[in-house]
Amino acid sequence: MTDAGARFADTVTIVTGSSRGIGLAIAARLVAEGGRVVLTGRRREPLEAAAAQLGPAATAVAGAADDPVHRAEVFAHVARTHGRLDHLVNNTGINPVYGPLSSVDVAAARKILEVNVVAALEWSRDAVAAGLTRSIVNIASVAGVGASPGIGMYGVSKAALINLTAQLAFELAPGIRVNAVAPAVIKTAFARALYEGHEAEVSAAYPLARLGEPDDVAGPVAFLLSADAAWVTGQTLAIDGGAGIRPLM
């Protein structure tokens, strides 16, 4: 049985998109359980503030997730600072457009796929090349498992990320496990437009009667990364407050 208080002792994890919200909550959970984390994000100042908040177990490398130069800098930093890499969390995601797919800007659609899907593939491949030893967790969304009015292109990208998870899990087994989580609405700045001004109404649609918090995602991600999930790979865990069990009639 694993000691839950130290499940990540002597491990190193890269968490992309981790200056705030879900990514920062995941990093904080790993540090609380004895791990060391490398944070990445586009904006240097909030990223470095996040690392300072987590203490000496956290370091930060700023840059765009879909920039190969940035990825190379991150893996060089990991090798230089830690000399090992155990886990990768692909958390970076964007959604710059809102509206039906019939009118989505094609350039924006390409950018969503580039950041949400292709970059996750490239981070994963680069991590394996850098000596990744244990596991990958991708942050998908319930938008990827059904119609998502207004955020359809984001949903398309997350559906692709879910399938990417299964494909990588098959190809990288048995040495590396690959799983995903699919959150519903989490109270973050990223999702604010989905609930701000009508949170009570949105919350009422969930059997658990509230929106998710970043820590609600961090716990399941920590489980999937840990040895407690040693026989789990290729899975996508819905973190949806029970939304998936709502009656159809």
Side-chain angles (χ1 to χ4, degrees):
M1 181 179 295
T2 304
D3 178 1
R7 287 188 298 182
F8 298 100
D10 300 320
T11 66
V12 177
T13 305
I14 295 172
V15 185
T16 71
S18 47
S19 63
R20 62 180 185 176
I22 291 172
L24 179 55
I26 293 168
R29 180 62 176 264
L30 300 180
V31 168
E33 295 195 33
R36 291 171 288 167
V37 295
V38 177
L39 312 181
T40 82
R42 183 181 292 272
R43 298 173 56 208
R44 182 177 303 279
E45 289 187 6
L47 188 69
E48 292 180 346
Q53 173 186 327
L54 297 180
T59 54
V61 183
D66 57 341
D67 178 3
V69 174
H70 167 60
R71 288 196 303 275
E73 290 174 350
V74 171
F75 289 108
H77 169 81
V78 169
R80 181 174 61 252
T81 305
H82 301 293
R84 63 183 294 165
L85 177 60
D86 299 276
H87 307 289
L88 168 68
V89 178
N90 283 312
N91 175 64
T92 302
I94 63 168
N95 184 38
V97 294
Y98 186 88
L101 290 177
S102 59
S103 60
V104 69
D105 179 76
V106 173
R110 289 195 179 103
K111 185 65 173 179
I112 290 170
L113 292 172
E114 185 69 31
V115 174
N116 295 3
V117 185
V118 177
L121 170 61
E122 292 183 315
W123 276 99
S124 299
R125 294 198 305 194
D126 289 353
V128 172
L132 181 73
T133 61
R134 300 192 187 187
S135 65
I136 299 170
V137 172
N138 296 320
I139 310 303
S141 169
V142 294
V145 296
S148 303
I151 57 171
M153 197 62 222
Y154 177 77
V156 168
S157 74
K158 293 303 185 176
L161 184 61
I162 289 169
N163 191 264
L164 177 68
T165 298
Q167 300 292 341
L168 285 175
F170 182 80
E171 293 186 11
L172 297 179
I176 297 171
R177 297 181 301 105
V178 187
N179 292 289
V181 297
V185 178
I186 305 297
K187 290 183 67 175
T188 63
F190 181 80
R192 185 176 293 139
L194 300 177
Y195 66 86
E196 193 169 50
H198 57 116
E199 182 177 334
E201 177 185 354
V202 177
S203 298
Y206 293 91
L208 293 184
R210 67 174 177 86
L211 301 185
E213 299 284 351
D215 283 343
D216 292 320
V217 181
V221 170
F223 162 71
L224 289 172
L225 291 172
S226 77
D228 291 328
W231 211 48
V232 180
T233 196
Q235 303 303 304
T236 297
L237 174 63
I239 305 173
D240 64 358
I245 60 171
R246 290 178 299 185
L248 296 177
M249 298 179 64

